[in-house]
Amino acid sequence: MTRLLVLTVAIAALATPAGAGDRFSCYLNRECGPRHACDLRIERDGPTRWRLTWEPFVYRGDCRPVCRREFTIEVGGPADVLVDGIAHGRVGAGLVGIVDRGMGRLEVRTEGQGCAGVAMGGVYEAVGD
C-alpha cells in the first residue's frame, strides 16, 4: 500500500500542464451568495501561467460588476515541481489556489473575502453554449 501511494505521488509530481493540455483557460461562473453571481475569466499568459478576471454581479441588477479583481496564477510548487491541475497565485495580499475538478469545473480557494462582502472561493462551472 505504501509503495502504491509513493508511486501515485511521484507520477503526480512529474505531470505537467503541457502534457495534459490547457486545463484552466475558460469562462466560468457560479452563484456566490443569495444576491450575487460571480464570473471568472481565465486566459493563458505563458506556458504555466494564466491571467484571471473575477467579477461579482447583483442578480437583476444593472449588469455592472460590483467590483473586479485581476490577478495571475501559475502551476508550480516547492523546487519548481509541476503538478497538473493545480495552480496558485495572490489576490492582493491573500493567497489563491485553483484546482481542476474535471467536467468543466474549477474550485477556487482564497484567503478572506473577494470584495463587497462577496466571497471569491467556491466551485465554478464552465459557461456552456
Side-chain angles (χ1 to χ4, degrees):
M1 182 67 165
T2 303
R3 288 183 185 165
L4 180 59
L5 178 60
V6 170
L7 179 60
T8 302
V9 171
I11 291 170
L14 293 174
T16 65
D22 186 352
R23 300 178 78 168
F24 296 108
S25 293
C26 57
Y27 175 59
L28 308 129
N29 63 21
R30 76 177 190 94
E31 292 182 16
C32 48
R35 298 188 56 228
H36 295 89
C38 291
D39 286 352
L40 183 64
R41 289 184 304 279
I42 306 174
E43 300 172 337
R44 188 173 279 256
D45 194 33
T48 60
R49 186 178 176 100
W50 291 264
R51 180 112 184 106
L52 286 77
T53 303
W54 176 77
E55 296 175 319
F57 295 86
V58 174
Y59 283 126
R60 298 184 183 100
D62 58 7
C63 296
R64 293 185 196 173
V66 174
C67 68
R68 173 182 289 168
R69 297 284 185 260
E70 295 178 326
F71 55 100
T72 58
I73 60 169
E74 59 187 308
V75 174
D80 295 324
V81 173
L82 300 180
V83 180
D84 188 31
I86 301 173
H88 70 281
R90 289 198 167 273
V91 178
L95 296 174
V96 63
I98 298 196
V99 179
D100 178 10
R101 294 294 182 199
M103 304 293 289
R105 297 174 46 199
L106 292 178
E107 181 178 354
V108 176
R109 295 183 183 181
T110 62
E111 296 178 336
Q113 295 289 329
C115 65
V118 181
M120 184 184 300
V123 176
Y124 290 77
E125 295 188 6
V127 176
D129 335 86

